[in-house]
Amino acid sequence: MKQPDFGAFVISLDFELHWGVRDHFSATGVYRQNLLGEQQVVPALLGLFREFEVAATWATVGFLFAKSKNELNRYKPKVLPDYDDASLSPYDEEVGADEALDPLHYAPHLIKQIQETPRQEIGTHTFSHYYCLEPGQNKETFAADLQSAVAIAKPYGVRPRSIVFPRNQCNSDYESVLLENDIICFRGNQKAWMYQISDKNQKHPFYRAARIADSYFNMAGTHTFKWQNVWSGNVANVPASLFLRPVSKKMERLEKLRLRRIKRGIAYAAEKREIFHLWWHPHNFGVNLQENLDFLRKQPDFGAFVISLDFELHWGVRDHFSATGVYRQNLLGEQQVVPALLGLFREFEVAATWATVGFLFAKSKNELNRYKPKVLPDYDDASLSPYDEEVGADEALDPLHYAPHLIKQIQETPRQEIGTHTFSHYYCLEPGQNKETFAADLQSAVAIAKPYGVRPRSIVFPRNQCNSDYESVLLENDIICFRGNQKAWMYQISDKNQKHPFYRAARIADSYFNMAGTHTFKWQNVWSGNVANVPASLFLRPVSKKMERLEKLRLRRIKRGIAYAAEKREIFHLWWHPHNFGVNLQENLDFLREILKTFRQYRESHDLRSLSMLEVALTARDFAD
C-alpha cells in the first residue's frame, strides 16, 4: 500500500483540569495556580495554533463537559471501577455547583472556545480520568465509563473518534470497547523501555528519571514513527514522540538542549516523511505562561546571511560626481558588474535584495516624466534634487540613468528580491523635505515598478537616512521591512554627523578592525515595531590598492561576522553598491568569492541560511512574539 509522500507534526493535549491530578494535589494545594491558570492557557494556545495554522487534538475528560453538578451526576456511569487504590476514584470529590463557582472541575466555556477554533479536534480522555491498568477496574467498568464520555459530549455536537488513555495506561484488551464507541485511534506509548507502562514501573523513580533525561538528550532516538505502522491493529495507534515539559528555572541551562531535541525530531519527521507527536497538559503551562508560550513559539534555530545592494547608477552619486567626471568608469562598469554578481549569486545559491531607485525602471525620458511625483521635496541644499538632471532619451543612449535590461536580468535570477531605494534617491533626513513629499515619491516608486510585475516589500533609505516618522507611509505602500543602521555610535545618522570626517573615519576603521562588535543581530529584534528592521552589519568596501596591506584584515572582519551569526544563530547583513565594483571588477569578485566560500562552509556545518531582506522579515514574523 502506497504511503503519504509527506511528514506530519501532531499535537495532542490531555485536557483534564483538577481531575487529572486530584490523587496528587488537592484543589486548594500547591498546584492550584497551575489549574487556575488554564483559564488563560487554553485561549493563549488556541491563539497560537490559529496563528500558525496548527491542528491539535484536545483529549478531554468527560466531567469537563458538565454545566452543573446535577448534570455531572446525571451522566455518571451505571457501574464504577473498584480500584484497589481508593484514592484513584473521583466520585467522592467535592465539587462546586457549576463552572462559575468551580473552574477547576468544569470547562464548558473552554470547550466552546476549542470548538470555535479551526482544525481543533476534541477527543476523549475518558469520562472520569479512568485508569485502564490499575487493579480493581475491568472491561465492563471501562465500557460504562466510555459510554458516559460519549454521551456527555453529544449535546455539544462532539463525537469523539480518538482517545488518550489517562496516565498513558494503554490497554490492548479494551480495543473492542473503543470500536463499539466508534473510536478509531489512540495515542500509544513510545517503544523505548522507559515508556513501557505497567502498574509496577509507571511510578518507579528510575523509569521516571530516564523519561525526563530523554526530554533533553537523545536517549532512545527521535521517537518518530512510520505511516505504515499506524494501522497495525483494528484501532490506529498514533504514538507519542515527546512530552513537552514546562519551562523550569531549575533546568534553565538545559532548555536549549530540550528545544533542540524537539526540533530535531520535527526535522527528522519532515526529511524522512514520518510522524512526530508532541503532547502535554494545559495545566503544565498554568504558571510561567509567557515563558512556556515563548518556548513553544521559539525563534529560528539557524542563522542567516543577508546581502543587499543599493542599485542606483548615477542617481546615487550625482551630487558628488558629474556623469562625465572621474567616477564615470565606475558607473559604466555596472553593465558588467550586475550580470557578474548575478552569476556569482547563482553559483553559490545566494539570495540578495536589490534596492532599486525608481528612475531606473523607466524605458525613456517620457516615461520618467510620466511617473514624476505630484509634489516634490524642496531641499535646502538644491544640489540634492535630481529633477533638473540632464538625461538621455533612453537606456541605449544613456546607460547611467536607465536600467530596464539589468532589472530584467535580476528578475530572471533565482532568489533575487527587488526592493525600493525610493523613486528619486530621496533623502529622508534632509531639511526641506517632509512626509507628504516622501509619500508622493514612494507612490511613484511603487507605480513605476508595477509594469515589471514588481511589488517592492522592502526599502533601503538612500544614504541610510532612516526616518522612523515615515513608518506609516511604508505600511500604506505595503512595505514591511527596511535596512536599519548598526547600533554603534559611528553609524547613527543625522544631517549633522553623516558627512563629519571623524564619523566617516570611524566607519572606515570598523571595516578593518573590530571597533564595535560583529554587528550581527537577533531574530527577536527584527520586529520591534510595525515595520521589520533588517539592519546592516558591514559595508563591503571595494578593493583598494592604497589599503592593500589591510585587505586580509577586512576579509577576516567579514568572515568572523558570518561565523558568529552561524554559531549564535543570528543574522549578518552585508551591503554595498554595484558601482563600488565598477572598476577592478575581477579583484572585487575574487574578494566576494572568498566571502561566499565562508558562507557555504557555514551553510554546510551550521545550517546558515542565505535570505533576502524580505525573507528575514517573514521568517522572523513567523517566530515573532
Side-chain angles (χ1 to χ4, degrees):
M1 189 169 123
K2 194 173 180 181
Q3 302 302 317
D5 192 30
F6 56 85
F9 175 47
V10 180
I11 288 176
S12 61
L13 300 108
D14 299 8
F15 185 31
E16 52 194 36
L17 291 178
H18 185 234
W19 299 110
V21 295
R22 49 165 296 284
D23 55 320
H24 295 305
F25 304 108
S26 75
T28 58
V30 295
Y31 205 66
R32 181 175 176 82
Q33 290 308 309
N34 283 73
L35 300 172
L36 288 172
E38 291 196 68
Q39 304 300 316
Q40 289 76 50
V41 171
V42 172
L45 287 175
L46 292 172
L48 208 54
F49 295 161
R50 186 191 294 270
E51 178 185 344
F52 285 92
E53 299 178 357
V54 167
T57 295
W58 296 74
T60 305
V61 167
F63 285 158
L64 301 187
F65 289 89
K67 297 180 179 68
S68 67
K69 188 172 182 178
N70 288 336
E71 187 174 7
L72 195 60
N73 290 328
R74 192 163 70 247
Y75 283 97
K76 185 177 178 179
K78 294 179 181 178
V79 288
L80 303 178
D82 184 21
Y83 298 117
D84 287 8
D85 180 355
S87 71
L88 298 178
S89 178
Y91 291 102
D92 294 328
E93 183 75 14
E94 289 188 13
V95 297
D98 54 29
E99 184 179 25
L101 295 172
D102 188 353
L104 302 193
H105 295 101
Y106 306 91
H109 88 284
L110 293 177
I111 291 170
K112 285 290 186 185
Q113 289 183 44
I114 296 168
Q115 287 186 289
E116 291 165 0
T117 304
R119 305 198 59 217
Q120 305 303 296
E121 174 201 5
I122 296 180
T124 185
H125 203 35
T126 72
F127 181 69
S128 64
H129 206 260
Y130 187 101
Y131 305 102
C132 290
L133 293 178
E134 293 292 335
Q137 58 79 40
N138 56 45
K139 194 172 184 178
E140 180 190 7
T141 53
F142 175 67
D145 184 280
L146 202 54
Q147 288 164 7
S148 290
V150 170
I152 201 167
K154 192 173 182 180
Y156 288 76
V158 171
R159 186 71 179 86
R161 305 297 307 282
S162 62
I163 187 171
V164 170
F165 291 97
R167 305 275 163 87
N168 296 309
Q169 293 187 8
C170 305
N171 192 327
S172 58
D173 294 338
Y174 294 173
E175 185 179 86
S176 60
V177 178
L178 302 184
L179 293 172
E180 287 164 7
N181 286 277
D182 204 24
I183 290 172
I184 65 167
C185 61
F186 69 100
R187 186 182 76 208
N189 299 317
Q190 301 92 318
K191 290 183 178 180
W193 60 268
M194 68 279 277
Y195 295 101
Q196 300 311 300
I197 303 299
S198 71
D199 58 341
K200 294 179 180 178
N201 69 23
Q202 186 170 27
K203 301 172 186 176
H204 194 289
F206 179 67
Y207 279 77
R208 177 171 165 74
R211 290 194 295 270
I212 291 173
D214 193 46
S215 296
Y216 298 89
F217 307 98
N218 188 341
M219 306 286 288
T222 59
H223 302 301
T224 58
F225 55 100
K226 299 180 186 296
W227 289 97
Q228 59 263 38
N229 295 335
V230 172
W231 285 95
S232 55
N234 295 317
V235 180
N237 180 5
V238 186
S241 298
L242 285 175
F243 172 56
L244 180 59
R245 298 189 178 279
V247 168
S248 167
K249 291 188 178 179
K250 290 181 181 178
M251 307 290 277
E252 190 172 8
R253 292 183 179 179
L254 297 180
E255 291 297 84
K256 286 185 178 179
L257 294 177
R258 185 164 68 97
L259 181 63
R260 185 174 65 181
R261 178 89 170 102
I262 294 167
K263 287 188 171 184
R264 285 184 173 176
I266 294 171
Y268 189 88
E271 291 162 6
K272 300 296 184 181
R273 297 179 177 84
E274 297 186 1
I275 305 167
F276 183 84
H277 187 167
L278 193 66
W279 74 278
W280 70 97
H281 313 92
H283 56 67
N284 297 136
F285 284 20
V287 296
N288 302 319
L289 173 57
Q290 192 56 54
E291 291 89 336
N292 282 292
L293 291 176
D294 288 345
F295 186 92
L296 187 59
R297 180 190 291 273
K298 222 58 185 175
Q299 302 302 318
D301 195 28
F302 55 86
F305 175 49
V306 182
I307 288 175
S308 62
L309 299 109
D310 299 9
F311 184 31
E312 53 194 33
L313 291 178
H314 185 235
W315 299 110
V317 295
R318 50 165 296 285
D319 55 321
H320 295 306
F321 304 107
S322 74
T324 57
V326 294
Y327 206 66
R328 181 176 175 81
Q329 290 307 309
N330 283 73
L331 300 173
L332 287 172
E334 289 196 69
Q335 305 301 316
Q336 289 76 49
V337 170
V338 172
L341 287 175
L342 292 173
L344 208 54
F345 295 161
R346 188 190 292 269
E347 177 186 344
F348 283 88
E349 299 178 353
V350 166
T353 295
W354 296 74
T356 306
V357 167
F359 285 159
L360 302 187
F361 288 89
K363 298 179 178 68
S364 67
K365 188 173 182 178
N366 288 337
E367 187 174 7
L368 195 60
N369 289 329
R370 192 164 71 247
Y371 283 99
K372 185 177 177 180
K374 294 178 181 178
V375 289
L376 303 179
D378 183 21
Y379 297 119
D380 288 7
D381 180 354
S383 71
L384 297 178
S385 177
Y387 291 102
D388 294 328
E389 182 76 16
E390 288 189 14
V391 298
D394 55 29
E395 184 179 23
L397 295 171
D398 186 354
L400 301 193
H401 294 102
Y402 305 91
H405 88 284
L406 293 177
I407 291 170
K408 286 290 186 184
Q409 289 183 43
I410 296 168
Q411 286 186 288
E412 291 165 0
T413 304
R415 305 205 55 222
Q416 304 305 294
E417 175 202 4
I418 297 180
T420 185
H421 203 34
T422 73
F423 181 69
S424 65
H425 206 262
Y426 187 103
Y427 305 102
C428 290
L429 293 178
E430 293 293 336
Q433 59 79 40
N434 57 44
K435 194 172 185 178
E436 180 190 8
T437 54
F438 175 66
D441 184 280
L442 202 54
Q443 287 163 8
S444 290
V446 170
I448 202 168
K450 191 174 182 181
Y452 288 76
V454 171
R455 186 73 178 87
R457 306 295 307 284
S458 61
I459 187 171
V460 171
F461 292 97
R463 305 276 163 87
N464 296 308
Q465 292 186 8
C466 305
N467 192 328
S468 58
D469 293 337
Y470 294 172
E471 186 180 85
S472 61
V473 178
L474 302 184
L475 293 172
E476 287 163 8
N477 286 278
D478 204 25
I479 290 172
I480 66 166
C481 62
F482 70 99
R483 188 181 74 207
N485 298 317
Q486 301 92 320
K487 290 183 178 179
W489 60 268
M490 67 278 277
Y491 295 100
Q492 300 311 300
I493 304 298
S494 72
D495 58 344
K496 294 180 181 179
N497 69 23
Q498 186 169 25
K499 300 172 186 176
H500 195 289
F502 179 68
Y503 280 76
R504 176 170 165 74
R507 292 195 293 270
I508 292 173
D510 193 46
S511 295
Y512 296 90
F513 307 99
N514 187 342
M515 305 287 288
T518 60
H519 302 300
T520 59
F521 55 101
K522 299 178 186 297
W523 288 99
Q524 58 262 40
N525 295 335
V526 172
W527 285 94
S528 56
N530 296 315
V531 180
N533 180 5
V534 186
S537 299
L538 285 175
F539 171 57
L540 180 59
R541 298 187 178 279
V543 168
S544 167
K545 290 187 178 180
K546 290 180 181 178
M547 307 289 279
E548 191 172 4
R549 293 183 179 180
L550 297 179
E551 290 299 346
K552 286 185 179 179
L553 294 177
R554 186 165 69 95
L555 182 61
R556 186 175 67 181
R557 177 91 169 102
I558 295 169
K559 285 185 172 185
R560 285 183 173 176
I562 293 171
Y564 189 89
E567 291 162 2
K568 299 297 183 181
R569 298 180 178 86
E570 296 186 2
I571 305 166
F572 182 83
H573 187 166
L574 193 66
W575 73 278
W576 70 98
H577 312 91
H579 57 66
N580 297 136
F581 284 20
V583 296
N584 303 318
L585 174 57
Q586 193 55 54
E587 292 89 333
N588 282 295
L589 291 176
D590 290 345
F591 193 92
L592 178 59
R593 179 179 288 276
E594 291 303 311
I595 293 169
L596 296 181
K597 284 181 181 177
T598 299
F599 159 68
R600 184 165 62 188
Q601 172 192 337
Y602 282 97
R603 175 169 59 193
E604 293 170 359
S605 64
H606 286 72
D607 194 28
L608 182 67
R609 311 279 177 90
S610 169
L611 300 177
S612 68
M613 284 175 56
L614 177 61
E615 288 171 334
V616 167
L618 294 176
T619 302
R621 186 170 66 182
D622 287 343
F623 288 89
D625 291 331

